[in-house]
Amino acid sequence: MKIGVYDSGLGGLTVLFQLKKVMPWHEYVFLGDNARVPYGDKSLDQLKAYTKESLEFLYHEKGCDAVVVACNTLSANTLEYARELGYKQLYGVLVPTAEHAVQHTKGSIGVIATRATIASAAFEQVIAGINAGIQVTSKATPLLTPLIEEARAGKPETNIILKNYLRSFKDANIDTLILGCTHYPVLERDIKRIMGKHVRVVSSPHPVAVQMLEQWAGSTDTNSVGKTEYIVTGDVERFKEQVKSVFGKGLQVVRFHKLISKT
Ligand code: DGL
């Protein structure tokens, strides 16, 4: 199978790398819309326009059989719209992430995510749909994606900002914290240290890969190893440098593809 993995930028790679680890036999096309990152502060009309042209590119130009929208902001805001456009085999990351948190919580979940994800209340809705008794406390953390894109993970300024954001959960007595943005696993170690050992930290890559493995079980010859194509809409060289410093991975070939929307 040829699988598209789409995000605004580096965050989608946390999901892609987990998918490749669990299902190396598939072929992957990664699309990072780094010309327009961050998505979290964009309007709904902008997010819809970006989703439409990115999916057109992945399904029609690249010939993907399925697409994982590796972005909680889009999963919360534009997935239904994309399904209405007629795209099949289209998967978001928010529902598997929320379900995973519900499986492990004792009753009080915290969520950090982009402004657009928090404003959508999508995590609250999915969690309440499974168990209305679970308390959810959420906080928009818009500075984190730019800090991650700038490879500032682990730096003193990032830890100060993280501590300030996470302070809002002190009184809520949460036992589980959802990293509701696919960029945030890059900060997972620091977040775990700040929250302490009594709070379980849940992020998208693991539950998404498990759900996709179940979904596509038996669909392909699992003895082969598929290739991965990396495509960005902005600066290619900068993307390579970011991937090297954030994930310690040197990508040989990254291609440029121009996406233009009128919004
Ligand atoms: N990584 C994306 C998410 O999961 C988008 C972050 C952003 O571009 O603001 O929400």
Side-chain angles (χ1 to χ4, degrees):
M1 266 176 86
K2 191 171 188 178
I3 299 162
V5 178
Y6 161 45
D7 184 36
S8 61
L10 291 180
L13 293 176
T14 65
V15 175
L16 173 74
F17 294 153
Q18 190 66 23
L19 288 169
K20 276 162 62 74
K21 195 167 153 191
V22 172
M23 294 173 284
W25 49 86
H26 290 305
E27 200 178 322
Y28 295 93
V29 181
F30 174 80
L31 175 66
D33 192 6
N34 65 342
R36 303 187 287 205
V37 68
Y39 273 8
D41 297 319
K42 302 293 190 291
S43 70
L44 185 58
D45 280 348
Q46 286 174 309
L47 295 176
K48 280 182 175 173
Y50 302 167
T51 303
K52 185 168 186 279
E53 56 189 17
S54 300
L55 294 181
E56 258 165 29
F57 171 66
L58 287 169
Y59 281 103
H60 301 311
E61 269 186 59
K62 300 309 295 181
C64 291
D65 304 300
V67 172
V68 176
V69 177
C71 172
N72 281 282
T73 304
L74 298 180
S75 303
N77 288 284
T78 65
L79 205 61
E80 282 317 306
Y81 161 75
R83 291 198 174 118
E84 282 162 19
L85 293 176
Y87 289 111
K88 302 274 182 316
Q89 289 260 48
L90 178 63
Y91 303 92
V93 291
L94 190 143
V95 172
T97 310
E99 286 174 351
H100 190 71
V102 169
Q103 274 162 22
H104 291 99
T105 186
K106 295 186 194 82
S108 183
I109 296 179
V111 182
I112 54 172
T114 66
R115 265 200 197 99
T117 300
I118 297 300
S120 75
F123 273 108
E124 284 87 341
Q125 284 160 19
V126 173
I127 292 167
I130 306 170
N131 180 345
I134 294 173
Q135 192 191 321
V136 183
T137 311
S138 56
K139 168 101 187 141
T141 49
L143 292 173
L144 299 185
T145 294
L147 286 165
I148 292 162
E149 288 280 326
E150 291 298 332
R152 308 309 291 166
K155 303 284 184 218
E157 63 272 27
T158 305
N159 284 326
I160 290 170
I161 289 165
L162 262 182
K163 273 187 197 139
N164 271 307
Y165 278 148
L166 296 173
R167 196 170 289 154
S168 12
F169 296 106
K170 278 270 176 306
D171 296 336
N173 225 351
I174 59 167
D175 58 71
T176 302
L177 177 67
I178 295 178
L179 308 190
C181 168
T182 54
H183 278 72
Y184 300 174
V186 172
L187 303 173
E188 194 156 334
R189 227 184 28 212
D190 298 313
I191 293 171
K192 279 184 173 158
R193 201 188 54 243
I194 296 167
M195 296 310 292
K197 61 179 188 310
H198 299 297
V199 175
R200 177 190 281 265
V201 173
V202 168
S203 61
S204 298
H206 169 72
V208 169
V210 168
Q211 211 170 91
M212 293 298 97
L213 181 64
E214 283 166 12
Q215 181 70 31
W216 296 321
S219 64
T220 328
D221 162 24
T222 54
N223 292 319
S224 57
V225 175
K227 63 178 171 53
T228 304
E229 196 177 348
Y230 295 88
I231 302 168
V232 294
T233 62
D235 191 328
V236 167
E237 288 313 315
R238 179 151 182 269
F239 180 76
K240 282 187 178 174
E241 281 162 24
Q242 288 167 303
V243 175
K244 182 93 189 111
S245 74
V246 174
F247 297 100
K249 268 191 206 290
L251 300 178
Q252 295 289 324
V253 181
V254 177
R255 294 203 166 80
F256 170 74
H257 176 76
K258 192 170 180 179
L259 289 176
I260 331 152
S261 79
K262 291 181 197 74
T263 46

